Amino acid sequence: MTVDSLRDYVRRLEADGMLVRIDDPVSWNLEASAFTMLANERDASVPLFESVDGMQLIGDPYRGSQRRPWDRIALGMDIPSDASHRELYDELINRLQTPEAPVEVSRSDAPCKAVTYTDDGVNLLDFPWPYIHAGDGGRYSNLHTLIAPDPDSDWVDWSYHRTMIHDSRTASVLLLAGEQTPNLYYYKYERRDEPMPVAIAVGAEPAVQYTSVMWIPTGRSEAEFAGGLKGSPVELVPCETNNLLVPATAELVIEGEILPNTRRDEGPFGDYFGYMHGPRRSMPALHVTAITHREEPIIPFCVEGTGVGYTENSTSSLEVGCVGPDATLGLRAGGFDIDRCVPWKPTPRTVYVISTPTTSPGYLHELANFIFTTWGMLHVDFFVFVDADVDPLDQREVLEALALHADPDEDFHQFGVETMPKVPLNIYQTPSEKGNVQTGTSKAKTSKAYIDATRKSDAGPDPVGDVDEQYWARTVLKNAGADPERLPFTEPGGSRS
Amino acid sequence: MTDEYVTSETNLPPDPEGGEIRLQITDKSTKEISSTRARISRSPDDLSDPVPLTVVKGPHENTEEQWYIDVLETDIESEEIDRELLEEAYEKVRNDANVINTRSDDVKTLLRYLVEKGRYSSVSQASRTIMFEYLSDHYPELLDEYVNIKVRHEQRELTEGGRDNT
């Protein structure tokens, strides 16, 4: 049975004992985020705050359990939450290869149109946007899907950019040039001095949220991939004040336009590296033209910055659970011989592991060049390349490959020395190194790197110990019900014959 | 609106104490962000109706300084600059005399006094300086946009000049 809405997903969480309802009044001002942070750190149930100024907030609804950070992502696609990471990964590959076209429904059939505000009725401050960290520059919507059209084609991008609420009709949106939607804004709309029509779907159904964090190539329909992930078409409905289509079951939709040459303060914000992060930047201003929502909308949010290194909030779980299959398919479509591309669990946005059967130095350099000039340009710092028989989902295997096969003298490659763009949210550059914002990106430049942890020849020395016996023991334990990812040993040399 | 506000040091104009300024502030309770006309000071005694204003400082805004604010007018609309009109004015001035004509015994007397006291080297210089200071304080967005236009024009001239030489 498909999961058609956020509240459908919430019901499933509750049925599986993963949700706690809090009916005592809770403030949006730090209190909801504090409760959520504690739940995240303690691996507790997902908190649904039922009385926040008469509305509802849900804290980090997609945060996975600490040992299995992908489990609730799986639940949102009607995949058993006890599926292994490998099973989820393979199922995502399958689903992304079978996209389904969306269907358009009438306004009367769209739950997100239950209440509609336009003109003078619009007031962002009527909703309990959370103030998440002490020191944030404002209240945020930070778990949503930003929908923006390419002015030169039918393509519509779905993405995910934190948005700071200023007043009743104004917000600022973190648009960093180098990503798809920011590029539409800076290099098309703003250069033509035109506003970019947008919609922000808050609390969209899980498949839509998942697609927003995935690498969907420019020009491809995000809605079709969301339909593939879901296993049935996503229902879309027209906006009230522009021509965009939005997910019909979203909890709340903000319609508006991002104005050309108009900036508002954005940040500081405690973002995913785990630090309060300045400086405040001038980011494009969103002028809100309409708000529509379901009855008693549930507004989801993410306490970014908690559990860094342990995948303890929604976005880090989304990275671990959703990202990887998309990149694998994209790299294969680019002509590369890839087995799996997998984000490194503790730092899922900055480090990736790629297993490939083709490991010649020139090939790996070409592969790195492709990634660092496309989807990996802004966020990814480095890659680890491993042989195809090393499982990138298994951190022990990857560390073993690094220890055994990566020669510090020859296998650590810097790429684009001090010329590559870098997201200014990192903390290893000083504020002055990051510079201020003129065109939405930063002056932050750095190197990228990749590590070649592949074997240099097939004929290595004989391993100590009996590989066959270890493999037999591992198989017996696995068949007896043990989680193979928690077994306290692995095969020498990464071998898995 | 409540009675406590926050602003960033980056929002403060130079020499912010004493005179009227435009200032973006955040309501500490609602987190609503608005532009105001206000007076601010580190001492509440300098203001007629002071309320606490926390000024956050540093690149990550993680240090605080206690100031006070006297809000004179709230929700000042951020003035949208008509860049087309400003461009037209820029072109007209470039192709025309850049003299500003105005007649006033009062103004000229005051300016001459300041010149005689050594504050300015001439009445013309006093006029330019004082008008610029006023424009900077009261129309900061206009000045910012003017600087952008001027830089763009100068860059264009340099580029076109370079082409001519090739």
Side-chain angles (χ1 to χ4, degrees), chain A residues 28-29 125 131 139 164 166 193 261 265 268 278-280 431, chain B residues 8 10-11 24 29-33 59-61 78 80 83:
Chain A
W28 52 260
N29 189 356
L125 299 174
Y131 187 63
R139 299 161 68 178
M164 190 171 104
H166 279 239
D193 204 20
N261 303 299
D265 285 2
R280 66 175 58 211
Chain B
S8 168
T10 58
N11 291 328
Q24 176 186 289
S29 170
T30 66
K31 312 299 180 193
E32 182 173 4
I33 299 167
H60 304 295
E61 299 188 357
S78 179
E80 293 292 329
R83 284 183 293 127

Short mmCIF file of all heavy atoms in Angstrom, two decimals, chain A residues 28-29 125 131 139 164 166 193 261 265 268 278-280 431, chain B residues 8 10-11 24 29-33 59-61 78 80 83:
data_model
loop_
_atom_site.label_atom_id
_atom_site.label_comp_id
_atom_site.label_asym_id
_atom_site.label_seq_id
_atom_site.Cartn_x
_atom_site.Cartn_y
_atom_site.Cartn_z
N TRP A 28 6.89 27.16 19.82
CA TRP A 28 7.75 27.04 18.64
C TRP A 28 9.11 27.66 18.89
O TRP A 28 10.05 27.44 18.16
CB TRP A 28 7.10 27.72 17.42
CG TRP A 28 6.64 29.13 17.67
CD1 TRP A 28 5.37 29.55 17.94
CD2 TRP A 28 7.46 30.31 17.71
NE1 TRP A 28 5.35 30.91 18.14
CE2 TRP A 28 6.63 31.41 18.00
CE3 TRP A 28 8.82 30.56 17.51
CZ2 TRP A 28 7.09 32.72 18.10
CZ3 TRP A 28 9.30 31.86 17.63
CH2 TRP A 28 8.43 32.91 17.92
N ASN A 29 9.19 28.46 19.97
CA ASN A 29 10.41 29.22 20.26
C ASN A 29 11.36 28.35 21.09
O ASN A 29 11.29 28.34 22.31
CB ASN A 29 10.04 30.50 20.99
CG ASN A 29 11.21 31.45 21.13
OD1 ASN A 29 12.33 31.12 20.75
ND2 ASN A 29 10.96 32.62 21.70
N LEU A 125 3.17 34.66 9.51
CA LEU A 125 3.33 34.60 10.97
C LEU A 125 2.13 33.96 11.67
O LEU A 125 2.13 33.81 12.89
CB LEU A 125 3.58 36.01 11.52
CG LEU A 125 4.85 36.68 10.99
CD1 LEU A 125 4.94 38.12 11.46
CD2 LEU A 125 6.09 35.91 11.42
N TYR A 131 11.59 28.34 15.84
CA TYR A 131 12.89 28.97 16.07
C TYR A 131 13.75 27.85 16.64
O TYR A 131 13.53 27.39 17.76
CB TYR A 131 12.75 30.14 17.04
CG TYR A 131 14.01 30.96 17.19
CD1 TYR A 131 14.54 31.65 16.11
CD2 TYR A 131 14.67 31.03 18.42
CE1 TYR A 131 15.70 32.40 16.25
CE2 TYR A 131 15.82 31.79 18.56
CZ TYR A 131 16.33 32.46 17.47
OH TYR A 131 17.49 33.20 17.60
N ARG A 139 13.13 32.50 12.35
CA ARG A 139 12.40 31.23 12.33
C ARG A 139 12.52 30.62 10.93
O ARG A 139 12.60 31.35 9.95
CB ARG A 139 10.93 31.48 12.69
CG ARG A 139 10.79 32.06 14.07
CD ARG A 139 9.44 32.74 14.27
NE ARG A 139 8.33 31.80 14.27
CZ ARG A 139 7.06 32.15 14.48
NH1 ARG A 139 6.76 33.43 14.70
NH2 ARG A 139 6.09 31.26 14.45
N MET A 164 14.13 31.44 5.67
CA MET A 164 14.00 32.17 6.93
C MET A 164 12.84 33.16 6.84
O MET A 164 12.78 33.98 5.92
CB MET A 164 15.31 32.91 7.23
CG MET A 164 15.38 33.51 8.61
SD MET A 164 17.02 34.15 9.00
CE MET A 164 16.74 35.91 8.82
N HIS A 166 10.69 36.32 7.57
CA HIS A 166 10.95 37.69 8.02
C HIS A 166 9.71 38.34 8.60
O HIS A 166 9.71 38.82 9.71
CB HIS A 166 11.46 38.54 6.85
CG HIS A 166 12.92 38.34 6.58
ND1 HIS A 166 13.83 39.35 6.61
CD2 HIS A 166 13.62 37.22 6.28
CE1 HIS A 166 15.04 38.88 6.35
NE2 HIS A 166 14.93 37.59 6.13
N ASP A 193 16.00 40.15 -15.13
CA ASP A 193 15.26 41.05 -14.24
C ASP A 193 13.82 40.60 -14.07
O ASP A 193 12.89 41.42 -14.04
CB ASP A 193 15.33 42.49 -14.77
CG ASP A 193 15.10 43.49 -13.65
OD1 ASP A 193 15.28 43.12 -12.48
OD2 ASP A 193 14.71 44.64 -13.95
N ASN A 261 17.17 40.86 -7.88
CA ASN A 261 17.92 41.99 -7.32
C ASN A 261 17.37 42.50 -6.00
O ASN A 261 17.50 43.67 -5.67
CB ASN A 261 17.97 43.15 -8.32
CG ASN A 261 18.57 42.72 -9.64
OD1 ASN A 261 19.71 42.30 -9.69
ND2 ASN A 261 17.78 42.79 -10.71
N ASP A 265 18.38 39.52 4.70
CA ASP A 265 19.30 38.76 5.55
C ASP A 265 18.88 37.30 5.62
O ASP A 265 17.68 36.98 5.65
CB ASP A 265 19.28 39.32 6.98
CG ASP A 265 20.04 40.62 7.10
OD1 ASP A 265 20.54 41.11 6.07
OD2 ASP A 265 20.13 41.14 8.22
N PRO A 268 22.38 33.93 10.83
CA PRO A 268 23.07 32.66 11.01
C PRO A 268 22.09 31.51 11.27
O PRO A 268 20.93 31.73 11.62
CB PRO A 268 23.94 32.89 12.25
CG PRO A 268 24.01 34.37 12.43
CD PRO A 268 22.73 34.90 11.88
N GLY A 278 27.69 31.59 10.98
CA GLY A 278 27.56 32.86 10.30
C GLY A 278 28.55 32.91 9.17
O GLY A 278 29.15 31.89 8.86
N PRO A 279 28.77 34.06 8.55
CA PRO A 279 28.04 35.28 8.83
C PRO A 279 26.64 35.26 8.18
O PRO A 279 26.38 34.42 7.33
CB PRO A 279 28.92 36.33 8.16
CG PRO A 279 29.57 35.60 7.02
CD PRO A 279 29.78 34.22 7.51
N ARG A 280 25.80 36.20 8.64
CA ARG A 280 24.52 36.32 7.94
C ARG A 280 24.81 36.79 6.52
O ARG A 280 25.78 37.51 6.27
CB ARG A 280 23.57 37.26 8.66
CG ARG A 280 23.97 38.71 8.71
CD ARG A 280 22.88 39.55 9.36
NE ARG A 280 22.56 39.10 10.69
CZ ARG A 280 21.36 39.21 11.24
NH1 ARG A 280 20.37 39.78 10.58
NH2 ARG A 280 21.12 38.78 12.47
N PRO A 431 35.71 32.89 8.31
CA PRO A 431 34.70 33.73 7.66
C PRO A 431 35.30 34.58 6.53
O PRO A 431 34.66 34.76 5.49
CB PRO A 431 34.18 34.60 8.80
CG PRO A 431 34.37 33.75 10.00
CD PRO A 431 35.65 32.99 9.77
N SER B 8 21.87 42.89 14.39
CA SER B 8 23.25 42.51 14.16
C SER B 8 24.11 43.76 14.04
O SER B 8 23.66 44.79 13.51
CB SER B 8 23.36 41.68 12.89
OG SER B 8 24.70 41.55 12.50
N THR B 10 26.22 44.17 11.97
CA THR B 10 26.35 44.49 10.55
C THR B 10 25.22 45.39 10.06
O THR B 10 25.32 45.98 8.98
CB THR B 10 26.36 43.20 9.70
OG1 THR B 10 25.15 42.48 9.94
CG2 THR B 10 27.55 42.33 10.03
N ASN B 11 24.14 45.47 10.83
CA ASN B 11 23.04 46.35 10.42
C ASN B 11 23.24 47.80 10.87
O ASN B 11 22.50 48.69 10.44
CB ASN B 11 21.71 45.85 11.01
CG ASN B 11 21.27 44.56 10.38
OD1 ASN B 11 21.54 44.31 9.20
ND2 ASN B 11 20.59 43.71 11.15
N GLN B 24 17.27 47.63 10.86
CA GLN B 24 16.52 46.37 10.84
C GLN B 24 16.64 45.72 12.21
O GLN B 24 17.75 45.53 12.71
CB GLN B 24 17.09 45.43 9.78
CG GLN B 24 16.42 44.06 9.78
CD GLN B 24 17.09 43.10 8.82
OE1 GLN B 24 16.98 43.25 7.62
NE2 GLN B 24 17.80 42.13 9.35
N SER B 29 10.57 38.36 20.87
CA SER B 29 9.52 37.42 21.21
C SER B 29 8.94 36.71 19.99
O SER B 29 8.85 35.49 19.95
CB SER B 29 8.42 38.16 21.96
OG SER B 29 7.30 37.33 22.11
N THR B 30 8.58 37.46 18.96
CA THR B 30 7.94 36.85 17.79
C THR B 30 8.92 36.48 16.70
O THR B 30 8.58 35.75 15.78
CB THR B 30 6.92 37.82 17.18
OG1 THR B 30 7.62 38.95 16.65
CG2 THR B 30 5.89 38.29 18.21
N LYS B 31 10.14 37.03 16.76
CA LYS B 31 11.18 36.84 15.74
C LYS B 31 10.82 37.52 14.42
O LYS B 31 11.44 37.27 13.39
CB LYS B 31 11.50 35.36 15.46
CG LYS B 31 11.73 34.52 16.70
CD LYS B 31 12.89 35.00 17.51
CE LYS B 31 13.08 34.12 18.74
NZ LYS B 31 14.01 34.73 19.71
N GLU B 32 9.79 38.36 14.44
CA GLU B 32 9.47 39.11 13.24
C GLU B 32 10.59 40.12 12.97
O GLU B 32 11.09 40.77 13.89
CB GLU B 32 8.14 39.84 13.39
CG GLU B 32 7.74 40.59 12.13
CD GLU B 32 6.34 41.17 12.21
OE1 GLU B 32 5.70 41.06 13.27
OE2 GLU B 32 5.88 41.74 11.20
N ILE B 33 10.96 40.23 11.72
CA ILE B 33 12.05 41.11 11.34
C ILE B 33 11.46 42.31 10.63
O ILE B 33 10.65 42.16 9.70
CB ILE B 33 13.04 40.36 10.41
CG1 ILE B 33 13.63 39.15 11.15
CG2 ILE B 33 14.14 41.29 9.93
CD1 ILE B 33 14.36 38.19 10.25
N PRO B 59 31.61 37.19 13.44
CA PRO B 59 31.21 36.53 12.20
C PRO B 59 30.10 35.50 12.39
O PRO B 59 29.33 35.25 11.48
CB PRO B 59 32.51 35.86 11.73
CG PRO B 59 33.41 35.83 12.92
CD PRO B 59 33.03 37.00 13.75
N HIS B 60 30.03 34.93 13.57
CA HIS B 60 28.96 33.97 13.83
C HIS B 60 27.91 34.54 14.78
O HIS B 60 27.04 33.81 15.27
CB HIS B 60 29.54 32.67 14.39
CG HIS B 60 30.57 32.07 13.48
ND1 HIS B 60 30.25 31.60 12.23
CD2 HIS B 60 31.90 31.91 13.62
CE1 HIS B 60 31.36 31.16 11.64
NE2 HIS B 60 32.37 31.34 12.46
N GLU B 61 28.02 35.83 15.06
CA GLU B 61 27.06 36.54 15.90
C GLU B 61 26.88 35.88 17.25
O GLU B 61 25.78 35.81 17.79
CB GLU B 61 25.71 36.68 15.16
CG GLU B 61 25.86 37.46 13.86
CD GLU B 61 24.55 37.80 13.20
OE1 GLU B 61 23.51 37.37 13.70
OE2 GLU B 61 24.59 38.50 12.18
N SER B 78 10.82 49.02 3.01
CA SER B 78 12.11 49.10 2.33
C SER B 78 11.86 49.68 0.94
O SER B 78 11.09 49.14 0.16
CB SER B 78 12.72 47.71 2.21
OG SER B 78 13.94 47.79 1.53
N GLU B 80 11.87 50.42 -2.66
CA GLU B 80 12.33 49.77 -3.87
C GLU B 80 12.97 50.83 -4.77
O GLU B 80 12.38 51.88 -5.02
CB GLU B 80 11.16 49.12 -4.61
CG GLU B 80 10.55 47.95 -3.85
CD GLU B 80 11.50 46.76 -3.79
OE1 GLU B 80 12.30 46.59 -4.73
OE2 GLU B 80 11.46 46.04 -2.78
N ARG B 83 15.56 51.25 -10.72
CA ARG B 83 16.91 51.28 -11.31
C ARG B 83 16.90 51.91 -12.70
O ARG B 83 17.85 52.53 -13.13
CB ARG B 83 17.49 49.87 -11.34
CG ARG B 83 17.96 49.46 -9.94
CD ARG B 83 18.60 48.11 -9.91
NE ARG B 83 17.63 47.09 -10.21
CZ ARG B 83 17.78 46.18 -11.15
NH1 ARG B 83 18.85 46.17 -11.89
NH2 ARG B 83 16.86 45.26 -11.35
#
